[in-house]
Amino acid sequence: MRRCCQALGLPCLAKGSPVPRSPRPRFLLLFDFDETLVDENSDDSVLRLLRGRALPEPLLHGPRSGSYNQHMQRLLAWLGEQGVSPAELRALYESLPLSPGMAELLQLLSKHRESLELVLISDANVFGVEAKLRAAGALSLFRKIFSNPASVDGRGVLVLGPYHSHRCPRCPPNMCKGKILSEYLEQRAREDVEFQRVFYVGDGANDFCPAGILREEDVAFPRKGYPMHRLIQEEQPGAFRAAVVPWESGAEVARYLQEVLGGRC
């Protein structure tokens, strides 16, 4: 005797019966990594692995020519040549401290996966970003991570590359976060996913570009007193369309999002 699937508490799989669709996320939440999700610049943090070694003169004062991404390519290659292993680099990235209140914010986000789609855009590198998120138990929260490619070559050296090329005059040559966000929104729209509101949490000058394409109903969360916040403040009245909510602790972002998710904001 056949028993109805629904009588067993299961969706009906009979021919012609619609399969229930997962709810589409209502909101898109974007994060920067360095000095936003974590409380350090991870590029600077790798210098802790020098351990008494002296940097060669070309690497001592940062990029004098070329991009910062190219400078980091040379620095990581040099560290590898000095015997710094990928395991040491991974452990360093894992140890980066979360910014104040970020643990509370991530805890909130883990409870609202159906309503919030999370994306991270970082000018650091995929190797380091994923290592930290995995160590924090937060990697699975993010649908997509956009960062500079980095992989271990046959010599055991972490090889870094640029993310892409672009024509934005504001952004470093290896990454325009505004282009990444625009293309992501277009892709999701083609997939029949459009967001009621977009939220952007960042700190740096390169976070100002993507925040600049937000709409009036969207919200920019610049870290208080950091370059993104100062650039927004310097904009002409009305030029920056999104609402602006500066933060010193991720707990402030969590409280705002809790209001949104509760329909009170």
Side-chain angles (χ1 to χ4, degrees):
M1 176 179 173
R2 296 176 64 186
R3 299 182 65 187
C4 176
C5 299
Q6 292 177 333
L8 299 174
L10 302 171
C12 183
L13 300 179
K15 184 176 180 181
S17 299
V19 176
R21 299 178 66 179
S22 299
R24 292 188 178 93
R26 292 185 294 150
F27 308 114
L28 175 63
L29 175 59
L30 302 123
F31 274 96
D32 173 46
F33 183 69
D34 290 325
E35 297 185 298
T36 296
L37 200 146
V38 296
D39 205 25
E40 295 182 8
N41 183 318
S42 60
D43 287 343
D44 294 340
S45 299
V46 300
L47 295 177
R48 291 204 289 269
L49 295 175
L50 290 176
R51 294 172 186 163
R53 304 178 184 94
L55 278 174
E57 179 63 27
L59 296 175
L60 200 55
H61 305 292
R64 293 179 177 176
S65 62
S67 69
Y68 196 82
N69 179 262
Q70 291 171 329
H71 168 72
M72 287 305 300
Q73 291 175 30
R74 293 189 289 268
L75 176 59
L76 289 170
W78 183 83
L79 286 171
E81 291 164 1
Q82 302 307 303
V84 174
S85 69
E88 289 178 282
L89 283 165
R90 184 180 295 108
L92 179 135
Y93 289 122
E94 290 173 346
S95 70
L96 295 173
L98 292 173
S99 290
M102 279 298 158
E104 180 178 332
L105 175 55
L106 291 172
Q107 186 177 26
L108 170 73
L109 300 178
S110 70
K111 298 175 182 177
H112 294 280
R113 295 175 186 238
E114 291 186 352
S115 297
L116 287 158
E117 181 166 299
L118 269 61
V119 170
L120 189 143
I121 310 177
S122 168
D123 198 8
N125 66 77
V126 169
F127 179 91
V129 169
E130 290 188 349
K132 177 57 194 177
L133 292 178
R134 190 178 294 110
L139 183 59
S140 65
L141 294 178
F142 289 85
R143 182 179 186 273
K144 186 72 176 176
I145 293 172
F146 297 97
S147 192
N148 297 304
S151 58
V152 180
D153 69 7
R155 302 168 298 160
V157 173
L158 186 64
V159 178
L160 177 67
Y163 180 77
H164 62 187
S165 60
H166 61 86
R167 297 180 180 178
C168 176
R170 279 190 173 273
C171 294
N174 63 295
M175 176 176 283
C176 172
K177 294 186 177 184
K179 179 180 179 181
I180 292 171
L181 175 54
S182 294
E183 291 177 348
Y184 186 78
L185 291 171
E186 291 168 3
Q187 175 197 330
R188 295 300 277 147
R190 290 193 297 271
E191 295 165 350
D192 200 26
V193 178
E194 296 196 29
F195 302 100
Q196 294 176 20
R197 300 175 77 180
V198 177
F199 307 104
Y200 192 101
V201 187
D203 74 283
N206 61 353
D207 296 311
F208 178 73
C209 180
I213 69 174
L214 300 181
R215 308 158 299 177
E216 291 182 1
E217 60 266 35
D218 301 330
V219 182
F221 294 95
R223 192 168 186 179
K224 192 175 293 184
Y226 282 67
M228 179 188 178
H229 188 206
R230 292 195 293 270
L231 288 169
I232 291 173
Q233 291 175 315
E234 291 167 4
E235 279 288 90
Q236 295 294 323
F240 192 85
R241 293 175 295 172
V244 180
V245 181
W247 61 277
E248 292 180 306
S249 166
E252 297 168 77
V253 181
R255 285 193 290 272
Y256 188 98
L257 293 176
Q258 188 69 69
E259 292 288 313
V260 171
L261 294 165
R264 298 184 293 276
C265 185

